[in-house]
Amino acid sequence: MILTIANQKGGVGKTTTVVNLGTALASIDKKVLILDVDPQYNSSLSFNRYNHELSIYKALSGEKKLKDLIQETQIPNLKIISACEDLAAAEYELASDENRNFIIKEQLDQIKEEYDYIFIDTPPTLGLLTISALAASDEVLIPVQCEFFALEGLSKLVKTIDMIKENLNTNLKINGIVLTMYDKRNSLSTLIEDEARKYFDTVVYKFNVPRNVKLSEAPSHGLPAIIYDLNCAGSQAYIGLAREFIERNKK
Ligand SMILES: Nc1ncnc2c1ncn2[C@@H]1O[C@H](COP(=O)(O)OP(=O)(O)OP(=O)(O)O)[C@@H](O)[C@H]1O
Ligand SMILES: [Mg+2]
């Protein structure tokens, strides 16, 4: 299954979710590939796997095949295709390519059978990279930060997803919305949660990811939080989320 993690709002927990949900699933023997299509390459850094020569840009520019860019990580069963800053140019370079929206799909189709889950981390825009990730995906997972204005951008994102369903990928489904950086002592968090559950009902994951400092420390050590500190509240939340994720996929 190919899953894009998207939200055009910046800093809502997309990368943290890709890295830790991916690690949690790999640790229960699922074969996972993370595809970093963000020119900020935060997923790549989170595994200490930034490598200019092995960037997904090489596949988008036609220099290499995707399968030749796969890197191992510290976690068995979890591989990554990293990004680098060149990727920012890809949006511009591919703009006139008629096939631009399917460039990720065509390449992923060649390797997808080898993985249980492929997670695509996207930049905080609804540009070409995010759109071609969505065109390649079976489902989209949307992290929403429990902050004021959190829900404002959601209707635009849902409209974009509908547009992609109509024009590029009729099978695309919303896997769910994950509430991140949740602080139960903060009334704003509970307010956002109530609103999100009222409007989006069961689309919203039951499991919220709490605000937890270990989740933000782990990337500076080049490790997923689940490896950096398995017992912290953030790691345990992503393990719970992985369980719910698997339950959802059974239905
Ligand atoms: N639950 C959490 N608790 C505390 N800090 C968090 C949590 N989730 C993410 N962070 C931190 O918040 C910042 C933004 O998170 P992250 O990078 O995952 O967001 P993003 O949506 O991928 O951002 P961007 O849009 O820039 O790609 C990072 O410094 C991250 O470590
Ligand atoms: Mg990110």
Side-chain angles (χ1 to χ4, degrees):
M1 176 168 133
I2 304 176
L3 221 124
T4 286
I5 317 296
N7 189 334
Q8 77 277 19
K9 239 184 195 341
V12 298
K14 293 182 288 296
T15 300
T16 307
T17 299
V18 166
V19 168
N20 289 293
L21 183 58
T23 302
L25 291 166
S27 69
I28 51 167
D29 280 345
K30 301 290 181 192
K31 287 200 170 121
V32 179
L33 175 70
I34 289 175
L35 202 68
D36 191 354
V37 302
D38 184 353
Q40 302 177 102
Y41 50 88
N42 291 347
S43 286
S44 312
L45 291 178
S46 303
F47 292 97
N48 199 12
R49 287 297 178 272
Y50 171 83
N51 181 332
H52 198 266
E53 286 313 301
L54 293 176
S55 158
I56 186 167
Y57 177 76
K58 301 273 177 200
L60 300 184
S61 62
E63 269 177 77
K64 289 190 176 160
K65 291 254 185 285
L66 215 48
K67 70 172 172 35
D68 298 323
L69 301 173
I70 298 170
Q71 298 185 67
E72 307 271 340
T73 67
Q74 307 91 324
I75 296 109
N77 291 328
L78 195 154
K79 298 189 179 169
I80 185 165
I81 298 178
S82 65
C84 72
E85 55 282 352
D86 286 4
L87 204 51
E91 299 238 4
Y92 172 77
E93 289 165 10
L94 291 168
S96 57
D97 185 332
E98 268 179 27
N99 200 32
R100 61 188 179 276
N101 292 322
F102 297 107
I103 193 151
I104 294 179
K105 179 179 168 52
E106 282 172 5
Q107 307 232 8
L108 267 186
D109 278 351
Q110 299 170 17
I111 57 169
K112 68 179 182 190
E113 300 307 327
E114 291 162 44
Y115 298 93
D116 295 308
Y117 300 109
I118 299 178
F119 289 103
I120 311 181
D121 189 14
T122 58
T125 64
L126 292 173
L128 174 62
L129 292 168
T130 302
I131 289 178
S132 49
L134 289 168
S137 294
D138 301 301
E139 301 194 1
V140 48
L141 180 63
I142 306 169
V144 168
Q145 186 184 356
C146 293
E147 290 290 345
F148 200 55
F149 296 136
L151 300 174
E152 302 264 308
L154 264 189
S155 58
K156 183 163 185 227
L157 180 57
V158 170
K159 264 191 211 138
T160 304
I161 292 168
D162 285 342
M163 189 267 294
I164 289 169
K165 267 162 70 172
E166 253 171 59
N167 298 301
L168 303 173
N169 181 2
T170 46
N171 296 323
L172 182 65
K173 286 205 258 324
I174 295 184
N175 171 281
I177 292 173
V178 183
L179 300 176
T180 64
M181 302 185 222
Y182 182 77
D183 178 356
K184 63 173 184 285
R185 292 161 307 180
N186 180 338
S187 58
L188 192 55
S189 270
T190 46
L191 186 77
I192 300 288
E193 178 180 25
D194 290 348
E195 293 255 305
R197 293 194 188 282
K198 190 165 112 202
Y199 288 111
F200 295 99
D201 200 19
T202 55
V203 174
V204 183
Y205 270 78
K206 286 187 222 142
F207 238 95
N208 298 340
V209 177
R211 186 172 280 284
N212 178 253
V213 69
K214 299 279 182 182
L215 287 175
S216 56
E217 280 171 18
S220 66
H221 298 267
L223 289 172
I226 288 179
I227 306 295
Y228 175 65
D229 184 347
L230 175 63
N231 294 319
C232 74
S235 298
Q236 290 300 313
Y238 275 108
I239 288 169
L241 194 72
R243 250 182 240 126
E244 194 180 343
F245 175 85
I246 287 179
E247 279 304 311
R248 274 190 184 211
N249 292 331
K250 279 187 194 152
K251 283 174 198 155

